[in-house]
Amino acid sequence: MTIDLNQFHKVFIDEAHEHLGNMEQLLLALDIKNANLEELNAIFRAAHSIKGGSGTFGFSDIAELTHALETLLDKLRKQILDPTEQMVSAFLECCDLLNDMLQAHQSGNEVDESSIQTMRLRLLELADSDATSDESAFISSIESSEENEGFGFFVDEKTLPAAQEKSIKEEADGFGFFVDESELPAQKTNTVKSSTKQENAKAPAESSIRVGVEKVDQLINLVGELVITRSMLAQSASHLDPVQFEAIHEGLVNLERNSRDLQESVMSIRMLPINFVFGRFPRLVRDLTQKMNKKVRLKLVGEETELDKGLIEKLSDPLTHLLRNSIDHGIETPEVRSAAGKAEEGTITMSASHQGGSILVQIIDDGAGLNREKLLAKAREKNIPLSDNPSDKEVWQLIFAAGFSTAQQVTDVSGRGVGMDVVQKNIAEMKGQVEIESVAGQGTTIGLRLPLTLAILDGMTLRVGSEIFIMPLTRILESLQPTHDQLKTVSGQGRVVQIRGEYLPLIALYQILNLEPEVIDPEKGILVVVESSSGKVALFVDELIAQQQVVIKSLETHYRKVEGISGATIMGDGRVALILDIDKLAKMNSQVASSERTG
């Protein structure tokens, strides 16, 4: 019997990656001096599952390596050997190698045989096992199982006992020796009881299916189109008499409610716990602290907070950069910490929480904090333009300048100034912003504020001349019509507005985007105070129209990249409205003010 097992390979590889992830988490949490037997058993079971699956589907190289891994784990769980730091390091490196092997098999690439054999011998040496005899015994078992085309899982149905018994019954049919067992009273009763038990056993279990991400994306896109169509219908029906067309208006209200519920349900399919990202960082902290001779404890908070899958995938690199920076630049060595009256072990807290319509991810360390004077000196050295008396917030933002680094020497961890600017760029692409707070000698807090999803946006519709724009609602702090006394002009900085003792840059949107406005005097228009990465700014527009939920479309994909614009949407009347990029507009305004000052 020939069976094509390729159809099962993807499922096996996905499940193997999950087992390796669980193994890594358990290994990092393992107490070497007082190992928990149940945890060791759980690690062993994960390795055993990978070994069994790899042998079944013909991945003999993975099966051989996991057999050596299983040999050492078996001696640990039977308490023949005691776990050591060297063993945990070997286990973690073996997990990395197995992940690489799974990726190689999935993509059809070659696997480095020498690294596999080196790891096998290392594991068997730690297990005090005879590598030669162990290998020959295991390989012979694999070869014997491969002689069976079903790898021991699939056999000819004719060889099963039930099939053989059925064959005998059919041959003896009519002789009165064999009857249908279901006709016996006791058997009928047992059959009913058995089926009832099976139904009861299955009832509480949750069922799930694996669905491709592209199918979910297509569904989200269709829901987005439904939201746009609903807006168009509502726009058209707004001109109808509510009394005369009461049924149409009621139907539109129901359509809005149901489409919003549908939209939320579909969006929840893409939501994943942020622990998918957080879960990989305990290993990173362990490896870096050993390399740098530091003591750092990583504390994770809010791992269950859910975020869009697309954002989670893009969040990994920025968080990795920030964590490496906190360990390298933030946390001091044990000797320095002791001299400063701190505990030798530093603490880095990674937290995630919902705040309004966004997610706040924070990296908090209790290290040395940012040095204001050192940052300012480096900025002057690199000719980075700054105001005469910059605020702390402006100074902290210097660390995101390209090529900016205050490290005394370049290491393989950091020091080249190419990490933090990538962080800000990646977060900006996710429609998020970076916030920094720091106190010298006490530590630094870096916050990443992100939207819940990249597909739907709650925004404020505003107008400049004949153009309609969308402002992300989460960025708006307040709106006002200024008085003459609030408006000032500062030499070298352009126009500002005074709001409760605070001077904010005034950005005339029509000037930045080269538009024909209806109102030129800010006293007759509206100022919208928004939060940018560099601080608060006041955006001058003609009119605020309404709060509205919109579907985000990529302007770059359908047209081209436009400075100060992060995307586009289709309004209810069919017009295209542009979504404003607050951070970019603030930078464009400061560049204009800087050029006027130097000119």
Side-chain angles (χ1 to χ4, degrees), residues 110-144:
E110 293 294 325
V111 184
D112 184 9
E113 292 293 338
S114 62
S115 60
I116 298 173
Q117 293 306 319
T118 302
M119 179 57 69
R120 275 194 70 257
L121 294 172
R122 181 179 172 188
L123 291 170
L124 293 172
E125 184 180 339
L126 287 168
D128 293 329
S129 177
D130 184 358
T132 307
S133 61
D134 183 86
E135 181 177 12
S136 58
F138 182 66
I139 290 176
S140 64
S141 69
I142 291 181
E143 288 173 350
S144 64

Side-chain angles (χ1 to χ4, degrees), residues 309-324:
K309 182 180 185 295
L311 288 171
I312 280 183
E313 291 171 350
K314 294 179 180 179
L315 195 57
S316 176
D317 283 346
L319 286 180
T320 301
H321 278 302
L322 292 173
L323 189 59
R324 290 165 68 93

Side-chain angles (χ1 to χ4, degrees), residues 105-284:
H105 282 297
Q106 192 170 24
S107 58
N109 296 331
E110 293 294 325
V111 184
D112 184 9
E113 292 293 338
S114 62
S115 60
I116 298 173
Q117 293 306 319
T118 302
M119 179 57 69
R120 275 194 70 257
L121 294 172
R122 181 179 172 188
L123 291 170
L124 293 172
E125 184 180 339
L126 287 168
D128 293 329
S129 177
D130 184 358
T132 307
S133 61
D134 183 86
E135 181 177 12
S136 58
F138 182 66
I139 290 176
S140 64
S141 69
I142 291 181
E143 288 173 350
S144 64
S145 67
E146 288 181 347
E147 289 173 4
N148 181 350
E149 292 178 353
F151 294 90
F153 278 74
F154 304 97
V155 296
D156 191 340
E157 290 182 358
K158 295 178 182 179
T159 64
L160 296 173
Q164 291 176 345
E165 185 177 339
K166 181 180 177 184
S167 176
I168 295 171
K169 286 181 180 180
E170 287 174 349
E171 291 175 6
D173 188 24
F175 291 91
F177 286 97
F178 300 99
V179 296
D180 188 350
E181 292 180 352
S182 62
E183 295 177 3
L184 296 174
Q187 180 64 29
K188 285 183 178 179
T189 305
N190 289 339
T191 303
V192 173
K193 287 182 178 178
S194 176
S195 63
T196 305
K197 284 181 180 179
Q198 287 177 358
E199 288 175 6
N200 290 339
K202 290 179 181 178
E206 290 187 9
S207 59
S208 62
I209 57 174
R210 290 181 183 268
V211 179
V213 177
E214 64 281 353
K215 291 183 179 180
V216 179
D217 289 342
Q218 184 181 9
L219 189 59
I220 288 174
N221 189 51
L222 289 172
V223 172
E225 296 299 327
L226 177 63
V227 171
I228 293 171
T229 305
R230 182 203 71 200
S231 299
M232 289 181 172
L233 288 172
Q235 181 83 11
S236 301
S238 63
H239 303 295
L240 301 177
D241 184 359
V243 177
Q244 188 177 357
F245 298 96
E246 182 181 357
I248 292 179
H249 281 279
E250 286 182 358
L252 285 172
V253 170
N254 289 332
L255 176 62
E256 182 175 0
R257 182 176 62 251
N258 293 335
S259 59
R260 183 177 284 269
D261 290 343
L262 176 62
Q263 172 191 313
E264 290 176 356
S265 298
V266 172
M267 294 306 303
S268 68
I269 297 175
R270 277 186 64 96
M271 294 294 183
L272 293 174
I274 203 167
N275 193 43
F276 275 85
V277 180
F278 281 9
R280 68 187 68 180
F281 292 131
R283 170 72 185 281
L284 177 67

Side-chain angles (χ1 to χ4, degrees), residues 450-469:
L450 302 162
L452 288 173
T453 176
L454 292 176
I456 307 290
L457 173 73
D458 284 316
M460 178 66 72
T461 312
L462 51 88
R463 182 177 61 83
V464 176
S466 60
E467 298 295 330
I468 300 296
F469 297 94

Side-chain angles (χ1 to χ4, degrees), residues 365-382:
D365 68 63
D366 63 350
L370 295 174
N371 188 317
R372 179 184 168 94
E373 297 306 319
K374 187 181 287 187
L375 290 172
L376 287 172
K378 196 70 176 180
R380 285 190 288 269
E381 179 187 323
K382 289 189 166 290

Side-chain angles (χ1 to χ4, degrees), residues 408-466:
Q408 298 296 324
Q409 57 183 10
V410 175
T411 67
D412 58 348
V413 177
S414 63
R416 297 187 185 274
V418 294
M420 299 301 280
D421 62 319
V422 173
V423 168
Q424 192 175 52
K425 181 182 177 183
N426 289 351
I427 298 302
E429 287 177 355
M430 290 187 268
K431 312 295 187 295
Q433 61 186 119
V434 185
E435 305 164 353
I436 303 178
E437 294 178 8
S438 186
V439 178
Q442 296 182 26
T444 303
T445 298
I446 299 180
L448 309 179
R449 196 174 294 276
L450 302 162
L452 288 173
T453 176
L454 292 176
I456 307 290
L457 173 73
D458 284 316
M460 178 66 72
T461 312
L462 51 88
R463 182 177 61 83
V464 176
S466 60

